[in-house]
Amino acid sequence: MIVMKADGAFLTIGELSTELGLPQHILRYWETRFPQLRPLQRSGNRRYYRPSDVALAREIHRLLNVEGFTVRGAQKALVDVDPNRVAAVDEPTPVRPSSADEAPMPVAALADATLIARLEAIREKLAASLA
């Protein structure tokens, strides 16, 4: 029997693992690799995932199991999405060089069609200036 909880209710590791379709040990492993994922732990080390933890676990699941990222790639992608999150890797997030009037853009975002168009325009300008 599946019990539906109200939105915003804390989930146990069993409930979250059922929702994501993953074994519980995978969620425990993610806690060691993604320092942002820190559920509350009560007596007996029972884990309670807050709504923000659930959203982060869903995002990690999407990156790893749907998008096909490696753990290291997912760590970088999470930092690229929200730079205020704690980085789980030692390297800085790579950024593309920018001119003085542009804000730096994460490399992971280069797949976006508008960015590709901007890069093609830059390439054309460089080719014209070298000619």
Side-chain angles (χ1 to χ4, degrees):
M1 181 174 146
I2 298 175
V3 178
M4 299 300 292
K5 287 191 171 184
D7 288 339
F10 288 21
L11 298 181
T12 64
I13 192 167
E15 292 166 337
L16 184 57
S17 71
T18 300
E19 179 183 318
L20 296 177
L22 298 169
Q24 294 179 17
H25 74 271
I26 298 294
L27 293 171
R28 289 187 202 98
Y29 172 74
W30 287 355
E31 291 173 24
T32 66
R33 296 293 174 237
F34 298 93
Q36 312 90 307
L37 185 60
R38 289 288 173 242
L40 294 175
Q41 289 191 346
R42 299 294 171 141
S43 63
N45 286 334
R46 188 170 171 93
R47 290 166 168 81
Y48 291 95
Y49 291 85
R50 297 169 285 234
S52 60
D53 296 321
V54 172
L56 180 59
R58 286 180 185 144
E59 180 66 10
I60 293 169
H61 174 66
R62 184 187 66 79
L63 290 170
L64 295 175
N65 300 320
V66 177
E67 300 288 328
F69 280 66
T70 62
V71 170
R72 189 172 191 89
Q75 291 167 337
K76 289 182 180 183
L78 289 173
V79 172
D80 286 346
V81 170
D82 185 358
N84 293 326
R85 288 186 174 163
V86 177
V89 293
D90 295 41
E91 305 166 8
T93 303
V95 294
R96 115 181 123 78
S98 62
S99 64
D101 59 337
E102 293 182 51
M105 190 73 61
V107 172
L110 290 178
D112 187 77
T114 58
L115 291 175
I116 292 172
R118 286 176 57 197
L119 290 172
E120 288 172 347
I122 292 170
R123 182 176 55 195
E124 290 172 12
K125 287 179 183 179
L126 286 172
S129 64
L130 291 174

